[in-house]
Amino acid sequence: MILAMTDIALAEENARLKARLAETEAALEDAVEAQRRLESIVGELRREKFGPRSEKLDPEQFNLPLEDVEVAQGILEAAQERARRALKGNSPAERSPRNRNRGHLPKHLPRIERVIEPESTLCPCGCGVMARIGEDVSERLDAVPAQLRVLVTRRPKYACRRCSAAVAQAHAPEHVVPGGLPTEALIAQVMVAKFGDHLPFYRQAEIYTRQGITLDRATLGNWVGRACFHLRPIVDHLRESLKGADRVFMDETRAPVLDPGRRKTKTGYFWAIVSDDRGHGGTSPPVVVFHYAPGRGAVHALRFLDGYRGQFVQCDGYEAYDKLTKVDRTEGPWTLVHCWTHARRRFVKRLEKDGSPIAEEALRQIAELYAIEKTVRGAAPDVRLAIRRQLSAPIVAAFRPWLEAQLSRIPKSSKLAEDIRYTLARWPGLTRFLEDRRLELDTNPVENQIRKIALTRKNALFAGHEVGAENWAMLASLIANCKMSDVDPVRYLAETLRALLDGHPKSRIDELMPWNFAPASSLAA
């Protein structure tokens, strides 16, 4: 009898071990497969970045490769965790504490608590109910799907029962779409989704359809066009605010626009102008304004800068900007300040493609300038200038003759020689940051803003017409200013539209600028 029970127990233990071994082998196979997929994606990234030009994918086809790497990394980690559990068991003491949340989620988020009690609190030794001696607490970020709601507005009527001569009723508030479906908050959400979060109207329409609301892209476009009409005074005031800046950053990027009748697109351009004094501790709010133009010529830069009273324009090495230095205006011609990032980018390409030791040394010297600049960002202007003259000026003074010496030693027709000539030709503009404490080392403040336009362009592909491109530039300006001022763009646009519809006086338009925005306690209809 005892032997029979022992045989049964051994058979059960053997079966349990075989099952655990099979589970372990499956988990290890999953981990190996996940590792292989991750290595494949990383390999594709390397070929895209460093491979021969003929093998590279078009940038439009290779939009978000790093997200694919993160997804593959997540699969690999999940497979590895499953394998560890299969090998070590799944008891609480054996679980890895890695990546455990330490309560860094924002305090303003609502907390929904749940308590998970053990199946039994009776002591297995028969002593009775166990006492609570503590608890483990974890916080995880949860999501509730966006909720659409219907806002019902009632306007009661009142009349005198005695004379019936008078009736009192509140006036109907003005709306962006009179008698239409959307509130100002919904229109603001649509605008930010497209021009801030890069979701074209047709994708938004699909999202609303999943919630049982049928809205076509033409309807969404009509709503946004009506909002643009009301918001134009805000953007006009943004442009006026920029005109008093001591110096501005300027850049441009392509804006494909549909060419009616040809069934093709023509190339226009978005121009961005930025004023941002935070680098030298300035107190003026940062401002960015986008403009649309059908071309990239100097005539457009001159038109957009008309009325600006500052002295400096920080820009890249595009030749059209050179004409700004010949403008006859009351304040004198513009002074160009060129960008070290653009010069550095050329040497990076040479190092990656040719392994040039000259390019590597040039990058090392430029890196020293950036390391010094990092220490003075946001410092008082006088401190900033003093440190630059003490530490950066000697590097710059030695860098130019070094570049000239290298240029004399390499073939004049080489790409590296071309890159060195590009840098030397713009040397006065590259070194002006040593003369004025307000100037920056590069044009990153405007490049960071114009990059967002490029993201929307990738998803929307092109503007339907030039008026649409102008509205695109206008709304992108408003949303970008909200982000620069740490303001929620949806709430800002909703409340600003409401204020404009309610007759906010034009003489106090500055109160409606993003940097002056103080949200109301709740959004009005």
Side-chain angles (χ1 to χ4, degrees):
M1 182 69 175
I2 295 175
L3 289 175
M5 292 178 63
T6 303
D7 290 341
I8 294 173
L10 287 173
E12 291 177 350
E13 179 65 15
N14 188 42
R16 187 182 67 81
L17 289 173
K18 286 183 178 180
R20 185 170 174 180
L21 178 61
E23 182 184 354
T24 302
E25 290 175 347
L28 289 174
E29 288 177 4
D30 289 343
V32 170
E33 176 64 15
Q35 179 76 31
R36 186 192 63 78
R37 291 179 182 176
L38 180 59
E39 290 174 351
S40 174
I41 292 175
V42 172
E44 289 179 8
L45 273 175
R46 288 200 184 102
R47 286 192 294 275
E48 161 60 17
K49 187 171 182 62
F50 302 111
R53 178 66 58 184
S54 61
E55 296 179 4
K56 290 188 178 183
L57 296 176
D58 186 285
E60 300 293 333
Q61 298 173 281
F62 212 90
N63 286 337
L64 299 171
L66 292 179
E67 289 190 4
D68 291 337
V69 172
E70 295 301 329
V71 171
Q73 181 68 29
I75 295 173
L76 174 60
E77 290 176 358
Q80 290 172 337
E81 287 164 5
R82 180 184 171 192
R84 280 196 297 269
R85 287 196 300 268
L87 290 169
K88 297 181 179 180
N90 198 32
S91 64
E94 294 176 331
R95 292 177 188 163
S96 171
R98 189 168 60 89
N99 294 335
R100 181 179 296 168
N101 180 269
R102 296 297 182 186
H104 295 304
L105 295 177
K107 297 296 182 184
H108 70 271
L109 296 179
R111 261 64 176 175
I112 307 298
E113 293 195 1
R114 63 173 183 172
V115 179
I116 304 176
E117 296 281 3
E119 293 181 1
S120 174
T121 58
L122 295 175
C123 178
C125 299
C127 302
V129 179
M130 293 184 286
R132 182 170 176 171
I133 60 172
E135 63 181 3
D136 289 334
V137 180
S138 65
E139 291 189 350
R140 297 186 300 157
L141 191 61
D142 195 17
V144 178
Q147 182 182 30
L148 295 173
R149 63 182 185 181
V150 178
L151 190 63
V152 180
T153 302
R154 302 183 187 276
R155 294 186 297 122
K157 295 181 179 180
Y158 296 89
C160 178
R161 292 185 180 276
R162 293 183 178 180
C163 65
S164 302
V167 176
Q169 185 182 28
H171 291 288
E174 187 177 351
H175 296 302
V176 173
V177 184
L181 182 71
T183 65
E184 286 64 53
L186 180 59
I187 295 175
Q189 175 62 45
V190 171
M191 291 190 292
V192 173
K194 177 172 182 179
F195 300 102
D197 300 330
H198 325 298
L199 275 176
F201 289 147
Y202 78 91
R203 293 186 187 173
Q204 295 188 54
E206 292 172 353
I207 293 171
Y208 288 120
T209 299
R210 291 201 296 266
Q211 300 196 46
I213 306 295
T214 303
L215 297 170
D216 58 47
R217 60 198 302 179
T219 299
L220 298 177
N222 180 270
W223 293 353
V224 170
R226 289 172 175 269
C228 286
F229 172 79
H230 294 286
L231 291 168
R232 190 165 296 279
I234 305 293
V235 180
D236 291 341
H237 192 71
L238 281 174
R239 294 192 181 105
E240 289 299 317
S241 300
L242 265 177
K243 290 185 177 181
D246 292 331
R247 60 96 174 87
V248 294
F249 301 86
M250 198 168 190
D251 199 3
E252 77 291 328
T253 190
R254 289 185 306 104
V257 176
L258 190 64
D259 192 1
R262 297 180 58 211
R263 302 180 66 84
K264 295 181 179 180
T265 60
K266 56 184 178 181
T267 300
Y269 285 86
F270 285 124
W271 293 71
I273 305 175
V274 172
S275 170
D276 190 347
D277 295 335
R278 292 175 292 182
H280 62 268
T283 57
S284 300
V287 185
V288 55
V289 173
F290 296 102
H291 303 265
Y292 170 76
R296 196 188 178 200
V299 61
H300 303 296
L302 291 169
R303 177 162 61 92
F304 297 142
L305 288 173
D306 184 40
Y308 284 73
R309 298 182 291 276
Q311 177 185 358
F312 298 104
V313 175
Q314 297 213 224
C315 57
D316 57 28
Y318 178 44
E319 293 83 355
Y321 292 118
D322 294 340
K323 294 187 178 180
L324 297 178
T325 63
K326 302 176 177 63
V327 175
D328 183 17
R329 60 181 193 136
T330 305
E331 299 82 3
W334 291 96
T335 301
L336 299 186
V337 183
H338 287 119
C339 173
W340 279 99
T341 295
H342 284 79
R344 179 178 62 186
R345 198 170 291 157
R346 287 174 167 263
F347 293 114
V348 168
K349 289 181 179 179
R350 294 283 71 74
L351 179 62
E352 290 178 349
K353 187 170 184 180
D354 306 328
S356 168
I358 294 176
E360 185 176 12
E361 176 60 22
L363 289 172
R364 189 190 65 78
Q365 296 193 45
I366 295 173
E368 290 182 4
L369 293 178
Y370 272 93
I372 296 168
E373 200 64 20
K374 185 177 180 180
T375 67
V376 299
R377 177 158 183 80
D382 292 338
V383 173
R384 179 179 164 102
L385 188 60
I387 294 177
R388 282 176 170 177
R389 287 179 173 173
Q390 178 186 359
L391 302 178
S392 300
I395 297 173
V396 171
F399 193 24
R400 179 170 185 169
W402 182 84
L403 285 172
E404 291 171 340
Q406 306 310 312
L407 186 60
S408 66
R409 298 171 184 168
I410 60 178
K412 290 183 172 54
S413 60
S414 67
K415 285 289 186 181
L416 180 58
E418 180 183 323
D419 298 335
I420 293 177
R421 285 194 293 269
Y422 171 93
T423 305
L424 293 174
R426 290 155 183 81
W427 200 257
L430 288 171
T431 57
R432 285 202 171 96
F433 77 101
L434 297 172
E435 305 164 6
D436 194 299
R437 57 197 179 185
R438 297 167 296 178
L439 304 179
E440 298 294 338
L441 211 61
D442 52 38
T443 59
N444 284 357
V446 68
E447 286 204 27
N448 291 339
Q449 297 302 324
I450 213 162
R451 193 174 295 120
K452 299 163 187 173
I453 288 283
L455 284 173
T456 301
R457 182 183 65 210
K458 284 184 178 182
N459 290 330
L461 300 183
F462 54 82
H465 44 71
E466 291 193 346
V467 174
E470 291 170 1
N471 290 333
W472 181 349
M474 186 180 82
L475 291 174
S477 299
L478 287 172
I479 294 168
N481 278 280
C482 287
K483 293 181 178 180
M484 291 178 79
S485 297
D486 294 325
V487 167
D488 177 5
V490 174
R491 195 161 190 177
Y492 167 79
L493 289 171
E495 295 194 23
T496 299
L497 280 170
R498 184 71 268 152
L500 292 169
L501 292 168
D502 289 342
H504 188 91
K506 191 174 181 180
S507 60
R508 291 164 44 203
I509 195 73
D510 192 65
E511 296 175 2
L512 299 182
M513 293 299 104
W515 53 83
N516 290 327
F517 178 66
S521 58
S522 61
L523 293 179

